[in-house]
Amino acid sequence: MLDENSLYHSKLLHDKYYPKVISYYFKQWKGFEMPYHSHNEIEIMYVIEGKCVVETATETVPMKKGDLILLDSNIAHRLVVDNENPCRMLNLEFFFTNKENEGFSPSFKEIVRTNGMLSQFLSKAYPYIVLKDSSDIYHVLKSLVLELDERSIENMVMIHLLFSQLFIKIGRLAIEYENQNSYQVNLYIKQILSFLHQNYDCEIQVKDIANVVNLHPVYLHRIFKAEMGNTLMEYLTSLRIKKAKMLLAHTEIPITEISEYVGINSRQYFSTLFKKHTGKTPIDYRNTLNK
């Protein structure tokens, strides 16, 4: 067994290692809040029916039928299921071993070497990833569980072959989803920017933008910061200051009214914010331009 049982451990690509399951189960959850925990095994959680939420240290992930989450080892997480939306899941936990009696072919490194998408997926080293299954992965997981129930030598061969199929399908689905998601994220960003540039004079909250693009506010915040390098509110503030500078420079609008034109209700706060971003008060900025 590896000292650090990560799916992305470099040793997995240099020596012969094989997956070994330590636990697997079907479970109907209802009104359940798991405490935060982590373990040295890699975990797959597959939603068969219903809804649930998987929480990590950095994100709340809503999941529904056909969703699966792959959690790398030692990632703190917990499962939350409410009373009104029970959830049936299939859980699988495994690690990698290089014991000789586990030496069925192909080894993990051999699977990776012959599959470009799996290799590409592993290079990302996601601590966890959520995927939407087209039922292919669930069929493999069910078959794997049936073979695990037998545990004979003949079944061990099938178990390793099914694991090979599982890794390949997850890698393929992850890269396809990433490519599709990248395109979709670009569309979301364009919609968000268009909305901000057309409504910066109004009072705007993150939830308002989330409603426009039909995304969860947490996910919206994450993709915007990843793409733009700053938060939604930081971008909106920068946009408002830019518009205020234009109005101060090219119009005769009274300075006391400029804040209303850029969606900032408090004149005092606008003046403080403007100085923070430009080094000048609005009055000083206009006077400097006039000189």
Side-chain angles (χ1 to χ4, degrees), residues 30-41:
K30 184 178 180 181
F32 177 76
E33 288 194 18
M34 182 183 292
Y36 274 104
H37 67 288
S38 61
H39 40 72
N40 197 38
E41 293 76 37

Side-chain angles (χ1 to χ4, degrees), residues 7 17-20 42 44 70 94-96 107-108 111-112 115 117-118 121-122 140 160-173:
L7 182 62
Y17 281 89
Y18 304 87
K20 185 170 184 177
I42 301 155
I44 294 175
L70 172 65
F94 63 94
F95 62 88
F96 286 93
S107 66
F108 186 70
I111 302 169
V112 176
N115 191 273
M117 282 190 170
L118 177 56
F121 163 63
L122 293 174
V140 176
H160 285 285
L161 291 175
L162 286 168
F163 253 118
S164 301
Q165 192 176 3
L166 179 64
F167 291 135
I168 290 170
K169 285 184 178 294
I170 287 177
R172 182 183 300 161
L173 190 62

Side-chain angles (χ1 to χ4, degrees), residues 200 236-249 253-286:
Y200 63 85
L236 178 58
T237 298
S238 178
L239 174 62
R240 284 170 166 166
I241 297 301
K242 180 180 178 181
K243 297 297 182 181
K245 289 167 66 177
M246 181 270 291
L247 293 173
L248 288 166
I253 297 172
I255 291 175
T256 55
E257 297 178 15
I258 294 290
S259 62
E260 297 176 10
Y261 278 76
V262 296
I264 300 175
N265 294 328
S266 169
R267 295 173 185 173
Q268 182 177 356
Y269 177 64
F270 167 68
S271 181
T272 302
L273 201 61
F274 190 90
K275 185 173 183 180
K276 179 181 177 181
H277 280 257
T278 66
K280 296 182 175 66
T281 64
I283 295 175
D284 292 338
Y285 184 83
R286 178 171 274 178

Side-chain angles (χ1 to χ4, degrees), residues 3-262:
D3 51 350
E4 181 186 347
N5 191 44
S6 171
L7 182 62
Y8 313 105
H9 200 300
S10 59
K11 286 186 178 180
L12 294 176
L13 302 181
H14 294 93
D15 300 316
K16 286 192 174 185
Y17 281 89
Y18 304 87
K20 185 170 184 177
V21 175
I22 65 158
S23 69
Y24 59 96
Y25 54 88
F26 292 93
K27 174 67 176 174
Q28 179 85 11
W29 303 96
K30 184 178 180 181
F32 177 76
E33 288 194 18
M34 182 183 292
Y36 274 104
H37 67 288
S38 61
H39 40 72
N40 197 38
E41 293 76 37
I42 301 155
E43 183 173 7
I44 294 175
M45 304 167 69
Y46 191 105
V47 181
I48 303 169
E49 293 288 346
K51 298 179 181 179
C52 67
V53 170
V54 176
E55 295 181 353
T56 69
T58 59
E59 189 174 5
T60 298
V61 183
M63 297 179 65
K64 60 182 184 298
K65 180 179 178 179
D67 290 350
L68 71 99
I69 183 168
L70 172 65
L71 290 147
D72 198 26
S73 61
N74 301 306
I75 300 299
H77 63 282
R78 72 170 187 151
L79 174 68
V80 179
V81 184
D82 64 36
N83 277 311
E84 296 181 2
N85 293 295
C87 178
R88 186 163 188 258
M89 303 185 77
L90 171 57
N91 279 54
L92 183 76
E93 295 181 17
F94 63 94
F95 62 88
F96 286 93
T97 178
N98 61 349
K99 292 181 180 179
E100 290 183 7
N101 61 1
E102 299 291 339
F104 295 98
S105 186
S107 66
F108 186 70
K109 72 172 183 177
E110 290 166 333
I111 302 169
V112 176
R113 285 177 181 175
T114 57
N115 191 273
M117 282 190 170
L118 177 56
S119 177
Q120 190 178 347
F121 163 63
L122 293 174
S123 70
K124 307 290 183 180
Y126 296 112
Y128 59 90
I129 184 169
V130 181
L131 300 171
K132 298 186 182 298
D133 184 28
S134 60
S135 79
D136 289 352
I137 291 178
Y138 184 50
H139 289 319
V140 176
L141 283 170
K142 284 196 299 183
S143 298
L144 182 56
V145 166
L146 290 174
E147 297 296 334
L148 285 166
D149 283 339
E150 297 297 329
R151 296 280 184 172
S152 68
I153 296 298
E154 293 174 354
N155 290 103
M156 291 304 295
V157 175
M158 184 60 73
I159 286 169
H160 285 285
L161 291 175
L162 286 168
F163 253 118
S164 301
Q165 192 176 3
L166 179 64
F167 291 135
I168 290 170
K169 285 184 178 294
I170 287 177
R172 182 183 300 161
L173 190 62
I175 296 304
E176 288 175 351
Y177 176 73
E178 183 183 74
N179 292 339
Q180 179 184 359
N181 195 45
S182 178
Y183 173 75
Q184 188 62 53
V185 165
N186 287 335
L187 291 181
Y188 287 142
I189 298 300
K190 288 180 181 179
Q191 287 179 281
I192 294 165
L193 293 179
S194 176
F195 176 80
L196 293 177
H197 281 259
Q198 293 178 49
N199 296 278
Y200 63 85
D201 60 311
C202 306
E203 183 178 346
I204 300 175
Q205 297 180 12
V206 174
K207 66 179 182 179
D208 302 320
I209 308 169
N211 289 334
V212 170
V213 293
N214 195 28
L215 290 176
H216 191 283
V218 174
Y219 178 67
L220 170 65
H221 174 81
R222 181 161 61 87
I223 64 170
F224 189 88
K225 188 170 184 180
E227 292 294 314
M228 302 298 295
N230 49 19
T231 68
L232 278 160
M233 291 298 103
E234 288 170 346
Y235 182 90
L236 178 58
T237 298
S238 178
L239 174 62
R240 284 170 166 166
I241 297 301
K242 180 180 178 181
K243 297 297 182 181
K245 289 167 66 177
M246 181 270 291
L247 293 173
L248 288 166
H250 301 295
T251 75
E252 298 299 321
I253 297 172
I255 291 175
T256 55
E257 297 178 15
I258 294 290
S259 62
E260 297 176 10
Y261 278 76
V262 296

